[in-house]
Structure formats: structure tokens, C-alpha cells
Amino acid sequence: MREFIYVLFHTAAVFLVASALVFTAASVQSSDPARALAGPLAAEAQVAELRTQLGLDKPAPQQYLSWLRGIAAGSSGWSAFHHRPSADVVADLLPVSLVRIVLALIVGAGLGWLMAQRLFSGQPSFTIIGTAWLAIPVFSPAALALWLMSSGAHLTPMTTPLWFEGATVLIASLPASLLVAMTFGTRLHGVRQLSLTAQYLCYSRAPVAYSRRILLREAMPSAASAFSNAVIPTLSAVTICEVVFSLKGFGAAFVKASQVADVPLMVTGLSVVLAILAAVQFANQLISAKLLRRSSRVSY
Amino acid sequence: MSRIKGLAAVSALVILANVAADAWLKVPIDSRNVLQAPTFEALLGTDHLGRSLLLIIPRSTIATLADCIVVFSIAALLGLSAACASVFWLGRWQDRLVSALADGVRSFPAILVAMVFASLHIPVALVLAGIVWVPVWRAARAALAEQFARPFILRAQACGLGFSQVMLQEALPLAWPVILPSALGAMAECLSGLAVLEFLGFGRDLGSPGLGTLASQVVFLGGTAWWIWLPPTLLVCAIVAIFAGEAVAKTVKETK
């Protein structure tokens, strides 16, 4: 309960500060969002009407307070780019992206588990390669995949959307799998040493099965934490994949909203993502604590 | 010796960046040879304006590296200043406030936040520096706090040596080997972040493109005309991998 209140309080504080910063920045920016939305050919009267309609003629603190009042009343503002309430846009597109993120994490965890068991053993060389791979820009694998598909298999996003959906999930799972694998790899190195000692001490009790049990119980809390840490890089990777492969989703819509400075959609999208991340963090804390309690009860 | 080399490299990069800034205008535009694949006449091919990529890619690399140095300098300054403040008020509310701020910054999805602020015409360098200072602060805080707990520093403080004097003369030079790997990691993060933001349309435009801007052409060209976006993409990966690999190698060496 205490952790839940802490996460809730932390998220609320960060959300208030971030949204206030966004509104302040939006109010001091040199360009006019109403002009950008109306287009260069629109008459000044039309732009002024749009500005009043969007509430952009009010001072920034008033805009922010009315937006907060709207949030409290269940209304998140009007997305001028999509011509719909921003909450509706997020509600339509976020599930699509969330499915991709969850699939990528599942594929990533599977790949990570395999890599950790077969390849990684906490060796510095693997850690160096893994970190260097994790650091490279997330668009690189997506760009290379698009090239390979268009040049080798003559596929385009328009002709074979299902292929590209699959490719997106696979590419988006790469950072997740590496994070999971690296956390596992480091942890497994220690656990293997422990299991060797345990096998030596308890050789009469089916050592292989015993070491697997130790492996699972020791490595699982790390897995939960790696899974939670992998959410943010996977979200970025899915966003990039949606842009590169021209897929419909929250990430692509968020990039578009940022390009046209659609403030209500940006703030609503960011706050929903923040809430989801807070929930993931809280679930991770609960699961890790439970798994750690279980593993501490095992005697070697 | 290595410091002199580093200083010389940074100075050379700044000079080259200045030269490159002027040289953008001198890259000839040839509308007859648009999107030409690599040949003996144009070794790396041409872009959508018929400009030779042999001329553009080195300039883009220098421009991206120069931007990266600006971002890193701001982030390092922020991180080190915050670390000094944290060590000065270690364990008190000021230190806890900085820790909470750092946790808050890192709990956000960095790319989405950077896009939001970049879209509001806040300079990309400031936005990225506001995110990347955290690892520098974290490493510097831990290393400096460890130094300040050492007996000879405590004795020096007891003898009346001021905090800033101890920090500059003793703690910071001794903590530097621990801070350096994090600084290199932050450099890799700066470069990666800059490239991603350029890729998404924030930052440099096609008039004077960075490596990320060139790489973003893959979206508009649908994966065709590989000579425009593939070399910059691989170049970014290589540079980032060098920085990140070096950071981890230094950490491993330091741990041993």
C-alpha cells in the first residue's frame, strides 16, 4: 500500500510539473499553432476564430487551469489536427500500439531467455557488445529491415501490411530482448557459481533439476525488473517502427501531433503513457518483492 | 598527454564545424543528376537536389558531432554542478530533491518528452541536455561522495580547507576515472538522441542535414535509394557503438 501511494504521488507530481512545462513552453513559442492548423492561405479572421475556439487567446496559466479542470471533469481537450477530442484519438490508437509493445516484450523476453541461457555468461565482451547494441539509435534496425524488405522481397508497407506488422514486432523486440538477456546474463553468471556449489553439496538430490530450480528462483526477480526496464526502450522502438513502416498507431500519431504542435493531444498522450508506466513500475515492485520473498525461503 | 589530445580533437572539430557551416552553401546543386546511384563520377551517389554525397556525408558527420558536443557540454555542466550540490548537502532535503528530479526525468519515455519540447521550438540541445545530465550526475555524486568520506579529505576539511578547494584540488581529480565512463556513455546517448530526433523531423533540415536527417530519407524513399540513407545510418551506429563500447570497457577496467 505504501509503495502504491508513493508511485501514485510521484506520478502525479511529475505529471503536473511536465504538463505545466509543456503549457508554459507552448505559450512562449514564437510560432502560432492556430495559423499552422488553419494553413498559410487562411484569412486572419478565420485564424482568430480558430484561436478563440481552441482557447489560445487566453493567458497560459488560464489555459493550463482550464485544461486541468477539463481533465478533472473527464474532458482532455480538442485535438485540432484530428478534429476530435484528444482522449478519443488516444483511446483509438493506444491499444493498437500497446498490443505491439506487449507482443514485442513477450518475443523479447523469449529471445532474451534463450540468449541468456545459450550465449551470455556475464563475460565483459558480451556486456560490451550488448551495451553498444543497446546504445545505437532505434531507427537503424527498422531502416535496415525496410530496405531488406523493399529491395530483397519487393514488399512495401502498402502491399503487405501483415508482413510489416510482424516485422515491426520483431524489430521492436530487439531492445527488449537485449535488456532482458543482459540482466539475465549478469545474474546467471552468479547463479551458476551458486548452483555449482549446491550441486557439490547436494549431489545425491538430482543435481540438474536442483540447479534449474535455483536458476529459476534466483533469476526470476531479475527477469521481472528487466521486463519492466525494457518497456520504455520498446515503446520508443515501436514508435519508430510505426513511423518507418507507415503503420497506424499511437506512436505515429504522437510524432505527427508533435510536428504540428497539437498540445492537447501531446499532453493527453504523454499523461496516459505516464500512467501506464507507473502501473508497470508498481506491478514490477510487487512481483519482484514476492519473488524475492520466495527465493529467500529456499535453502541450498 | 591524453588531455592534450582530447583538447586538440575538440578544437579541430569546432574549427571543422565552422568551415562546414560555410561550406554547405558551396556544395553544388545539379538538377540533372538527381538521386543518382554511386558511379565513378559520383562515388557515393547524389541526393534529391543532385548534390554529391561524397561532399555531404563528411559535412553532416561534423555537424552532428559538433551538435553532440554542445549537448554533452551542457549536460556535463548540469550533471557535475548538480553532483557538487548533492555532495555539499548530502542526505539533506536539497540532495533528496535533486534525486527525485533525476528519478522523474528518467521515468519518462525520453524520446516522447524530447519530441514534445522540440515541437514547441525549444532548442533540441537544451531538451536533450535536460535528459542526459542524469547519468553524469549519478556517477559523479557517487564518486564524489566516496572521496569526501576518505580520511585525508576529512582531515583537510578539519584543518580549514574550503569545500570548493577540496572539490577542485582533491575530490574531482580522484573521482574522474569513475566519472569518465559515464561521461562517455552520456556522449553516446547524446549522439543517439540527436540522430533519433533528426530522424523524426526535429533539428536540422535537409538544407544542412545531420546524419539523422539523411537517415530519415529511408521513410520518404520507401527503402529505395540506399546510398542516401544507408551510409549515414551505419556511420551513426558505428560512432555510437565506439563511445558506448569504450564506456563499458572503461567501467570493466575500473571494476577490475
Side-chain angles (χ1 to χ4, degrees), chain A residues 14 29 31 135 137 140 147 258-259, chain B residues 108 119 121 192 200 223 229 236-237:
Chain A
V14 171
Q29 65 171 318
S31 67
S140 323
W147 175 48
S258 305
Q259 282 168 351
Chain B
F108 270 116
S119 74
H121 299 278
S192 188
L200 293 171
W229 57 267
V236 172
C237 292

Side-chain angles (χ1 to χ4, degrees), chain A residues 14 18 22 25 29 31 128 131 135-137 139-140 143-144 146-147 150 232 235-236 243-244 254-255 258-259 266 274 277, chain B residues 107-109 111-112 115-116 119-122 192 195 199-200 202 215 218-219 222-223 226 229-230 233 236-237 240 244 248:
Chain A
V14 171
V22 171
Q29 65 171 318
S31 67
I128 291 169
T131 311
I136 63 167
F139 62 78
S140 323
L144 290 174
L146 181 63
W147 175 48
S150 62
I232 291 180
L235 170 71
S236 307
V243 172
V244 171
F254 195 87
V255 172
S258 305
Q259 282 168 351
M266 283 193 290
L274 194 66
L277 289 176
Chain B
S107 63
F108 270 116
I111 289 181
L112 298 192
M115 273 195 302
V116 167
S119 74
L120 301 171
H121 299 278
I122 295 174
S192 188
F199 186 87
L200 293 171
F202 303 97
V218 69
V219 181
W226 58 268
W229 57 267
L230 188 62
T233 304
V236 172
C237 292
V240 172
V248 180

Side-chain angles (χ1 to χ4, degrees), chain A residues 26-130:
Chain A
S27 66
V28 297
Q29 65 171 318
S30 54
S31 67
D32 183 1
R35 166 59 68 187
L37 287 165
L41 299 175
E44 194 51 48
Q46 282 175 306
V47 177
E49 195 187 328
L50 189 61
R51 204 175 290 129
T52 316
Q53 199 183 331
L54 297 173
L56 296 171
D57 53 343
K58 293 175 195 161
Q62 208 178 330
Q63 281 183 44
Y64 182 58
L65 284 177
S66 62
W67 181 78
L68 277 182
R69 271 199 294 272
I71 287 281
S75 157
S76 58
W78 187 261
S79 164
F81 181 72
H82 289 271
H83 303 290
R84 291 167 68 198
S86 53
D88 287 4
V89 179
V90 174
D92 274 358
L93 297 176
L94 193 60
V96 181
S97 295
L98 278 180
V99 168
R100 288 191 190 116
I101 291 170
V102 171
L103 280 174
L105 281 171
I106 292 168
V107 175
L111 282 174
W113 174 250
L114 283 175
M115 284 163 83
Q117 280 205 315
R118 310 256 172 211
L119 294 172
F120 284 75
S121 57
Q123 294 295 318
S125 54
F126 282 117
T127 315
I128 291 169
I129 294 166

Side-chain angles (χ1 to χ4, degrees), chain A:
Chain A
M1 191 61 193
R2 205 175 149 194
E3 285 98 353
F4 178 71
I5 292 169
Y6 174 75
V7 169
L8 210 65
F9 179 74
H10 187 255
T11 308
V14 171
F15 164 66
L16 281 176
V17 172
S19 56
L21 275 174
V22 171
F23 269 86
T24 313
S27 66
V28 297
Q29 65 171 318
S30 54
S31 67
D32 183 1
R35 166 59 68 187
L37 287 165
L41 299 175
E44 194 51 48
Q46 282 175 306
V47 177
E49 195 187 328
L50 189 61
R51 204 175 290 129
T52 316
Q53 199 183 331
L54 297 173
L56 296 171
D57 53 343
K58 293 175 195 161
Q62 208 178 330
Q63 281 183 44
Y64 182 58
L65 284 177
S66 62
W67 181 78
L68 277 182
R69 271 199 294 272
I71 287 281
S75 157
S76 58
W78 187 261
S79 164
F81 181 72
H82 289 271
H83 303 290
R84 291 167 68 198
S86 53
D88 287 4
V89 179
V90 174
D92 274 358
L93 297 176
L94 193 60
V96 181
S97 295
L98 278 180
V99 168
R100 288 191 190 116
I101 291 170
V102 171
L103 280 174
L105 281 171
I106 292 168
V107 175
L111 282 174
W113 174 250
L114 283 175
M115 284 163 83
Q117 280 205 315
R118 310 256 172 211
L119 294 172
F120 284 75
S121 57
Q123 294 295 318
S125 54
F126 282 117
T127 315
I128 291 169
I129 294 166
T131 311
W133 173 259
L134 267 177
I136 63 167
V138 280
F139 62 78
S140 323
L144 290 174
L146 181 63
W147 175 48
L148 289 175
M149 285 181 170
S150 62
S151 61
H154 302 291
L155 300 169
T156 62
M158 300 301 153
T159 52
T160 50
L162 274 176
W163 277 94
F164 277 83
E165 290 272 354
T168 310
V169 169
L170 266 178
I171 293 158
S173 72
L174 284 176
S177 66
L178 273 157
L179 261 180
V180 176
M182 281 180 67
T183 316
F184 266 151
T186 321
R187 186 72 178 151
L188 284 180
H189 185 59
V191 174
R192 276 210 185 102
Q193 304 298 323
L194 190 64
S195 66
L196 282 176
T197 320
Q199 279 176 36
Y200 175 71
L201 291 173
C202 316
Y203 57 90
S204 59
R205 290 196 243 163
V208 177
Y210 196 70
S211 69
R212 270 190 193 153
R213 209 172 73 188
I214 298 168
L215 205 73
L216 273 172
R217 291 198 171 169
E218 282 290 325
M220 271 319 211
S222 303
S225 128
F227 208 71
S228 157
N229 290 340
V231 172
I232 291 180
T234 311
L235 170 71
S236 307
V238 166
T239 302
I240 298 278
C241 287
E242 284 176 357
V243 172
V244 171
F245 294 125
S246 311
L247 297 172
K248 195 181 164 193
F250 172 76
F254 195 87
V255 172
K256 199 73 207 166
S258 305
Q259 282 168 351
V260 297
D262 189 347
V263 176
L265 183 55
M266 283 193 290
V267 182
T268 309
L270 204 58
S271 48
V272 173
V273 168
L274 194 66
I276 292 170
L277 289 176
V280 170
Q281 192 195 352
F282 180 63
N284 169 46
Q285 278 177 1
L286 282 184
I287 293 167
S288 294
K290 200 174 173 185
L291 288 169
L292 275 172
R293 272 202 299 276
R294 265 182 62 184
S295 68
S296 65
R297 281 203 296 271
V298 179
S299 59
Y300 300 118

